[in-house]
Amino acid sequence: MQDIKIEILPKAHNYSTLKVTFPWAREELIAELEQQEWRPYGMETAVKHDVWTGKRYKVHRPTTPKLQEIINFFRQDSTRDYLIECLYRDKPILQVNWQMYPWRMSMNTELHAEFTKDLPGFENGLHCDMRRLAATGVIYLCDGNNENLASCFYDNPMRDNPQIVETGYGMGWVHSNDWNTWHDGWNRTDQTRYSILLGLTLKLE
Protein backbone atom coordinates (compact mmCIF):
# COMPACT_ATOMS: atom_id res chain seq x y z
CA MET A 1 0.00 0.00 0.00
CA GLN A 2 1.33 3.41 -0.96
CA ASP A 3 1.34 6.33 1.45
CA ILE A 4 -0.74 9.49 1.30
CA LYS A 5 1.37 12.26 -0.21
CA ILE A 6 0.96 16.03 -0.09
CA GLU A 7 2.52 18.79 -2.19
CA ILE A 8 2.03 22.53 -1.66
CA LEU A 9 3.07 25.01 -4.35
CA PRO A 10 3.07 28.83 -4.41
CA LYS A 11 0.20 30.35 -6.38
CA ALA A 12 -0.78 33.90 -5.34
CA HIS A 13 -0.20 36.40 -2.54
CA ASN A 14 -3.26 35.11 -0.68
CA TYR A 15 -3.16 31.31 -1.17
CA SER A 16 -1.09 28.32 -2.27
CA THR A 17 -2.23 25.31 -4.26
CA LEU A 18 -2.36 21.92 -2.63
CA LYS A 19 -2.31 18.45 -4.15
CA VAL A 20 -2.91 15.30 -2.13
CA THR A 21 -2.28 11.91 -3.71
CA PHE A 22 -4.37 9.17 -2.13
CA PRO A 23 -3.57 5.46 -2.52
CA TRP A 24 -7.23 4.73 -3.28
CA ALA A 25 -9.59 5.43 -6.13
CA ARG A 26 -12.03 8.28 -5.58
CA GLU A 27 -14.95 5.85 -5.60
CA GLU A 28 -13.51 4.03 -2.58
CA LEU A 29 -13.42 7.19 -0.47
CA ILE A 30 -16.90 8.25 -1.59
CA ALA A 31 -18.22 4.83 -0.57
CA GLU A 32 -16.78 5.29 2.92
CA LEU A 33 -18.05 8.86 3.15
CA GLU A 34 -21.56 7.69 2.36
CA GLN A 35 -21.42 5.28 5.33
CA GLN A 36 -20.77 8.02 7.90
CA GLU A 37 -23.17 9.60 10.34
CA TRP A 38 -23.15 13.21 9.17
CA ARG A 39 -23.92 15.89 11.75
CA PRO A 40 -25.15 19.42 11.02
CA TYR A 41 -22.29 21.91 10.96
CA GLY A 42 -23.60 23.79 14.00
CA MET A 43 -23.53 20.69 16.21
CA GLU A 44 -19.78 20.34 15.55
CA THR A 45 -18.67 23.91 16.31
CA ALA A 46 -17.40 25.14 19.67
CA VAL A 47 -20.18 27.71 20.04
CA LYS A 48 -22.92 25.85 18.11
CA HIS A 49 -23.10 28.52 15.41
CA ASP A 50 -24.64 27.50 12.08
CA VAL A 51 -25.42 29.75 9.14
CA TRP A 52 -25.84 26.81 6.72
CA THR A 53 -28.71 24.89 8.29
CA GLY A 54 -29.60 21.97 6.05
CA LYS A 55 -26.73 22.63 3.63
CA ARG A 56 -23.42 21.77 5.40
CA TYR A 57 -22.60 18.65 7.41
CA LYS A 58 -19.45 17.43 9.18
CA VAL A 59 -17.67 14.27 10.29
CA HIS A 60 -14.75 14.69 12.71
CA ARG A 61 -14.46 11.07 13.85
CA PRO A 62 -15.01 8.75 10.89
CA THR A 63 -15.66 5.06 11.49
CA THR A 64 -14.06 3.50 8.40
CA PRO A 65 -10.35 2.69 7.84
CA LYS A 66 -9.46 4.85 4.84
CA LEU A 67 -11.02 7.97 6.31
CA GLN A 68 -9.34 7.27 9.66
CA GLU A 69 -6.00 6.97 7.87
CA ILE A 70 -6.54 10.41 6.33
CA ILE A 71 -7.36 11.91 9.74
CA ASN A 72 -4.22 10.36 11.22
CA PHE A 73 -2.04 11.58 8.34
CA PHE A 74 -3.00 15.19 8.97
CA ARG A 75 -2.48 14.78 12.73
CA GLN A 76 1.18 13.92 12.22
CA ASP A 77 3.78 16.46 13.32
CA SER A 78 5.61 15.96 10.04
CA THR A 79 2.52 16.94 8.01
CA ARG A 80 1.93 20.03 10.16
CA ASP A 81 5.59 21.04 9.94
CA TYR A 82 5.62 20.67 6.14
CA LEU A 83 2.50 22.79 5.81
CA ILE A 84 3.96 25.51 8.03
CA GLU A 85 7.25 25.43 6.12
CA CYS A 86 5.36 26.02 2.87
CA LEU A 87 3.23 28.80 4.31
CA TYR A 88 6.33 30.67 5.47
CA ARG A 89 8.01 30.06 2.10
CA ASP A 90 5.04 31.36 0.10
CA LYS A 91 4.26 34.33 2.35
CA PRO A 92 7.46 35.75 3.91
CA ILE A 93 5.54 38.43 5.83
CA LEU A 94 4.04 35.63 7.93
CA GLN A 95 7.11 35.60 10.16
CA VAL A 96 6.72 39.32 10.87
CA ASN A 97 2.92 39.16 11.31
CA TRP A 98 3.12 36.43 13.93
CA GLN A 99 6.56 37.28 15.37
CA MET A 100 7.34 33.57 15.23
CA TYR A 101 9.84 31.48 13.35
CA PRO A 102 8.35 28.32 11.78
CA TRP A 103 9.54 26.10 14.64
CA ARG A 104 7.68 28.21 17.18
CA MET A 105 4.55 28.22 15.04
CA SER A 106 4.74 24.42 15.07
CA MET A 107 5.00 24.41 18.87
CA ASN A 108 1.91 26.59 19.21
CA THR A 109 -0.46 25.00 16.71
CA GLU A 110 -2.08 21.71 15.84
CA LEU A 111 -3.27 20.56 12.43
CA HIS A 112 -6.48 18.62 11.95
CA ALA A 113 -8.66 17.43 9.09
CA GLU A 114 -12.44 17.12 9.04
CA PHE A 115 -14.75 15.77 6.37
CA THR A 116 -17.39 18.07 4.94
CA LYS A 117 -20.54 17.42 2.94
CA ASP A 118 -22.07 20.43 1.19
CA LEU A 119 -25.47 19.97 -0.44
CA PRO A 120 -26.68 21.76 -3.58
CA GLY A 121 -27.32 25.42 -2.84
CA PHE A 122 -24.55 25.73 -0.26
CA GLU A 123 -22.95 29.20 -0.30
CA ASN A 124 -20.11 30.23 2.00
CA GLY A 125 -20.15 33.98 1.58
CA LEU A 126 -17.18 36.30 1.29
CA HIS A 127 -15.05 36.19 4.43
CA CYS A 128 -11.67 35.95 6.12
CA ASP A 129 -11.36 33.08 8.56
CA MET A 130 -11.83 33.19 12.33
CA ARG A 131 -8.90 34.42 14.40
CA ARG A 132 -8.08 31.13 16.14
CA LEU A 133 -7.09 29.64 12.78
CA ALA A 134 -3.53 30.41 11.75
CA ALA A 135 -4.19 28.72 8.42
CA THR A 136 -6.91 26.79 6.63
CA GLY A 137 -7.23 24.67 3.54
CA VAL A 138 -9.65 22.62 1.47
CA ILE A 139 -9.04 19.35 -0.39
CA TYR A 140 -11.73 18.62 -2.95
CA LEU A 141 -12.96 15.08 -3.51
CA CYS A 142 -14.96 15.83 -6.65
CA ASP A 143 -14.46 14.31 -10.09
CA GLY A 144 -12.50 16.79 -12.23
CA ASN A 145 -12.32 20.56 -12.34
CA ASN A 146 -15.72 22.21 -11.85
CA GLU A 147 -16.04 25.93 -11.10
CA ASN A 148 -19.52 25.30 -9.70
CA LEU A 149 -17.97 23.31 -6.83
CA ALA A 150 -15.05 25.64 -6.17
CA SER A 151 -13.69 28.38 -3.93
CA CYS A 152 -12.54 31.79 -5.09
CA PHE A 153 -9.97 34.24 -3.67
CA TYR A 154 -10.07 38.02 -4.09
CA ASP A 155 -7.78 40.96 -3.42
CA ASN A 156 -10.35 42.79 -1.30
CA PRO A 157 -13.99 42.69 -0.11
CA MET A 158 -15.07 44.29 -3.41
CA ARG A 159 -14.12 40.95 -5.04
CA ASP A 160 -11.43 42.45 -7.27
CA ASN A 161 -9.11 40.03 -9.10
CA PRO A 162 -11.16 36.84 -8.64
CA GLN A 163 -9.08 33.65 -8.68
CA ILE A 164 -11.14 30.46 -8.80
CA VAL A 165 -9.27 27.48 -7.39
CA GLU A 166 -8.96 24.34 -9.47
CA THR A 167 -10.98 21.44 -8.11
CA GLY A 168 -10.61 17.69 -8.64
CA TYR A 169 -9.82 14.59 -6.63
CA GLY A 170 -7.10 15.59 -4.16
CA MET A 171 -6.79 19.14 -5.51
CA GLY A 172 -7.22 22.16 -3.27
CA TRP A 173 -5.73 25.18 -1.56
CA VAL A 174 -4.21 26.35 1.72
CA HIS A 175 -3.62 29.86 3.04
CA SER A 176 -2.33 31.66 6.11
CA ASN A 177 -5.24 33.54 7.63
CA ASP A 178 -4.78 37.30 7.31
CA TRP A 179 -6.76 40.51 6.98
CA ASN A 180 -6.70 40.32 3.16
CA THR A 181 -7.35 36.62 2.51
CA TRP A 182 -10.88 37.23 1.24
CA HIS A 183 -12.54 34.14 -0.22
CA ASP A 184 -15.86 32.42 -0.73
CA GLY A 185 -17.04 29.01 -1.89
CA TRP A 186 -20.13 27.19 -3.05
CA ASN A 187 -21.94 24.18 -4.43
CA ARG A 188 -23.87 25.44 -7.43
CA THR A 189 -24.65 22.00 -8.81
CA ASP A 190 -27.28 19.32 -8.26
CA GLN A 191 -24.76 16.95 -6.62
CA THR A 192 -23.21 16.59 -3.17
CA ARG A 193 -19.79 18.19 -2.71
CA TYR A 194 -17.46 16.19 -0.48
CA SER A 195 -14.23 17.77 0.74
CA ILE A 196 -11.65 17.73 3.52
CA LEU A 197 -11.25 20.92 5.52
CA LEU A 198 -7.85 21.55 7.09
CA GLY A 199 -7.34 23.74 10.14
CA LEU A 200 -4.04 24.88 11.63
CA THR A 201 -5.37 25.96 15.01
CA LEU A 202 -3.68 27.99 17.73
CA LYS A 203 -3.32 26.22 21.08
CA LEU A 204 -5.19 28.47 23.48
CA GLU A 205 -6.14 26.06 26.24
Side-chain angles (χ1 to χ4, degrees):
M1 176 65 70
Q2 294 182 339
D3 294 331
I4 299 171
K5 297 180 180 177
I6 182 173
E7 183 179 22
I8 298 171
L9 298 172
K11 178 64 177 180
H13 71 89
N14 46 4
Y15 76 100
S16 303
T17 58
L18 182 154
K19 169 64 177 174
V20 177
T21 303
F22 298 107
W24 316 287
R26 174 179 177 272
E27 292 73 20
E28 295 179 69
L29 285 192
I30 298 301
E32 288 201 4
L33 287 165
E34 290 176 344
Q35 297 175 40
Q36 304 306 306
E37 181 179 347
W38 292 90
R39 293 165 59 86
Y41 171 82
M43 294 178 66
E44 295 294 291
T45 65
V47 295
K48 304 297 182 282
H49 173 68
D50 194 349
V51 295
W52 303 296
T53 303
K55 295 295 183 182
R56 168 162 276 195
Y57 296 84
K58 291 283 185 180
V59 167
H60 285 105
R61 293 164 291 279
T63 58
T64 49
K66 295 179 180 65
L67 302 186
Q68 289 174 345
E69 189 170 335
I70 291 170
I71 293 291
N72 290 336
F73 172 79
F74 285 103
R75 279 196 186 124
Q76 294 176 9
D77 290 348
S78 58
T79 306
R80 179 202 61 212
D81 294 347
Y82 170 69
L83 184 142
I84 289 172
E85 173 190 323
C86 292
L87 291 173
Y88 274 75
R89 176 201 66 200
D90 297 347
K91 192 172 183 178
I93 194 65
L94 194 62
Q95 184 167 283
V96 176
N97 287 350
W98 283 99
Q99 290 295 297
M100 292 186 197
Y101 291 115
W103 64 268
R104 188 173 292 278
M105 179 65 78
S106 290
M107 288 177 56
N108 286 280
T109 55
E110 56 188 9
L111 180 64
H112 80 279
E114 57 194 58
F115 295 97
T116 302
K117 178 169 75 170
D118 297 320
L119 300 185
F122 168 78
E123 293 277 342
N124 190 0
L126 186 65
H127 66 285
C128 295
D129 291 322
M130 67 176 184
R131 295 181 180 182
R132 192 176 181 184
L133 291 169
T136 55
V138 171
I139 304 163
Y140 301 103
L141 301 176
C142 52
D143 186 15
N145 189 23
N146 186 343
E147 292 188 356
N148 291 315
L149 292 168
S151 303
C152 188
F153 281 83
Y154 309 90
D155 284 354
N156 51 48
M158 283 72 72
R159 288 189 164 91
D160 290 334
N161 189 27
Q163 301 172 77
I164 296 180
V165 180
E166 180 182 354
T167 69
Y169 182 47
M171 301 297 294
W173 56 266
V174 64
H175 78 89
S176 53
N177 190 21
D178 209 340
W179 63 271
N180 62 349
T181 48
W182 296 97
H183 59 287
D184 55 10
W186 50 75
N187 179 0
R188 297 171 180 168
T189 73
D190 59 0
Q191 58 190 277
T192 297
R193 181 180 84 163
Y194 289 108
S195 62
I196 303 168
L197 183 67
L198 303 179
L200 183 69
T201 308
L202 295 172
K203 296 177 182 178
L204 300 175
E205 306 305 334

